[in-house]
């Protein structure tokens, strides 16, 4: 693709933004093998014997008890490891047992574990006692936690306890206290950056609502994002009142923080290339030098960077070291692959990406060691912009079905957590 030094700025914006918003712009590409399909879509609730059965009765002692229990139930549902038992099946006399359990009462309903809790409330102040019982281990709790908090932080306490439950039951803690960042269209010429809890609760706007803000990313100092103006695009972060951290001629966009460096796309040379800078926008370094378009940097384990390039025709996913060396193509199936996102766990060498397969945009993963592809969505509208949870148990993505969905790493148990025209989802680590 030719460089665009002499093109009007509007044409440059349209061309380079297209690769970020899933609008095909490339007319030629190397012939590639098709991306895989999904032969069968399985409902995660159907193979009940493969899911760990957990019971979460309402917490006692306060009218906040049902709300608190529902946070736990939803966490366990979304992570796709548990069958949360229907509270209507419970036979235990909760008032008589308090925070203790009668093992046989829970065995009869099929519970493998039971969570019980009690809230003592004085005004807005709360003392919360939580217990986890593993039925096979008897009637003594295997996890006990006490929290002193206030009513506005009760959801956070429940997420913390759910993290600990996963640590006890799986050996690895959960990440239910993490957050999502995303952009959302709010009308003609209007787009804003938002943040929410991982479960879609507490959605809040980060950008100023003055125009087009997009492409968010978590990093040092807060949420980093790009702001489009009629003169180009600059990079800023929350707390800066949309003062540019990095600007310059043309487009500066799609920032990701990796260690103590920022990685982003800039057209300052007349072509879209990957650059890095320090966290103040200084010490600028050009990492790619190719006549093709290089965009969408994403930080991976060990400081590796994934990015998208059309240097072989249509856009494909590549990786490189943080200094720009060791460039390697990693997707060879599909003719239009974009928006890569690493699994943060170095033991799981996976990159999720958006690919065009069978005429629709869908979510895929590729294993960097084996080259194996997995399709997470199919026949469910248009799906794009994946992001792994910190433990890689879950994937978030934007869908034309009306918002942000979460699934497990195989694409099963899909649940909408945020409603609206969302895009470019990112997950805090």
């Amino acid at each position: 693709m030719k460089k665009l030094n002499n093109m009007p700025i509007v044409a440059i914006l349209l061309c380079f933004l297209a690769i970020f918003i899933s609008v095909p712009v490339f007319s030629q590409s190397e012939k590639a093998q098709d991306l895989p399909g999904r032969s069968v879509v399985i409902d995660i609730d159907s193979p009940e014997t493969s899911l760990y059965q957990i019971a979460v009765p309402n917490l006692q002692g306060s009218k906040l008890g049902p709300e608190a229990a529902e946070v736990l139930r939803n966490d366990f549902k979304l992570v796709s490891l548990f069958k949360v038992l229907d509270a209507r099946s419970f036979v235990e006399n909760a008032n008589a047992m308090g925070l203790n359990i009668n093992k046989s009462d829970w065995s009869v309903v099929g519970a493998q574990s039971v969570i019980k809790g009690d809230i003592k409330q004085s005004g807005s102040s709360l003392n919360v006692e939580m217990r986890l019982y593993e039925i096979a281990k008897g009637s003594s709790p295997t996890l006990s936690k006490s929290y002193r908090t206030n009513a506005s932080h009760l959801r956070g306490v429940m997420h913390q306890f759910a993290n600990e439950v996963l640590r006890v039951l799986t050996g690895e803690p959960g990440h239910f206290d993490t957050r999502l960042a995303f952009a959302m269209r709010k009308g003609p010429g209007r787009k804003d950056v938002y943040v929410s809890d991982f479960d879609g609760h507490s959605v809040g706007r980060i950008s100023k609502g003055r125009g087009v803000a997009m492409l968010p990313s978590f990093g040092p100092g807060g949420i980093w994002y790009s702001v489009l103006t009629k003169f180009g695009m600059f990079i800023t972060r929350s707390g800066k009142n949309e003062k540019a951290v990095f600007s310059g001629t043309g487009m500066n966009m799609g920032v990701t923080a990796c260690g103590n460096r920022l990685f982003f796309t800039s057209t300052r040379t007349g072509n879209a290339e990957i650059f890095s800078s320090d966290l103040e926008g200084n010490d600028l370094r050009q990492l790619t030098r190719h006549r093709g378009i290089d965009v969408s940097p994403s930080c991976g384990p060990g400081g590796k960077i994934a990015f998208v390039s059309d240097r072989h025709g249509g856009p494909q996913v590549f990786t490189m070291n943080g200094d720009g060396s060791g460039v390697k193509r990693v997707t060879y199936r599909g003719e239009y692959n974009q928006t890569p996102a690493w699994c943060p766990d170095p033991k799981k060498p996976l990159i999720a990406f958006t690919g065009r397969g069978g005429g629709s945009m869908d979510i895929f993963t590729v294993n960097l060691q084996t080259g194996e592809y997995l399709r997470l969505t199919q026949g469910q509208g248009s799906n794009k912009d994946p992001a792994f949870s910190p433990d890689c148990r879950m994937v978030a993505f934007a869908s034309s079905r009306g918002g942000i969905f979460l699934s497990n790493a195989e694409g099963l148990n899909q649940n909408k957590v945020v409603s609206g025209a969302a895009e470019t989802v990112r997950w805090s680590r």
Side-chain angles (χ1 to χ4, degrees), residues 9-79:
I9 187 64
V10 173
I12 296 175
L13 298 180
L14 291 174
C15 187
F16 290 118
L17 280 177
I19 200 166
F20 283 106
I21 59 176
S22 302
V23 178
V25 296
F26 299 100
S27 59
Q28 297 179 347
S29 69
E30 293 182 347
K31 184 63 178 175
Q33 185 180 359
D34 289 341
L35 286 162
R38 287 179 69 86
S39 57
V40 179
V41 177
I42 302 173
D43 183 351
I44 192 68
D45 288 328
S46 61
E48 296 181 3
T49 56
S50 66
L51 297 176
Y52 188 92
Q53 300 199 108
I54 192 165
V56 187
N58 290 340
L59 276 63
Q60 302 175 42
S62 167
K63 64 182 180 180
L64 297 174
E67 174 189 341
E70 189 56 33
V71 174
L72 293 169
R73 294 178 193 128
N74 193 52
D75 285 353
F76 298 135
K77 181 185 85 168
L78 292 175
V79 79

Side-chain angles (χ1 to χ4, degrees), residues 285-322:
R285 304 173 190 175
Q286 184 174 346
L287 304 181
T288 62
R289 289 176 171 83
H290 199 279
R291 64 186 180 87
I293 293 176
D294 298 325
V295 295
S296 299
S298 174
C299 180
K304 297 276 283 187
I305 301 296
F307 66 100
V308 175
S309 179
D310 74 330
R311 61 185 61 192
H312 294 301
Q316 298 290 341
V317 178
F318 291 73
T319 60
M320 65 181 174
N321 298 320

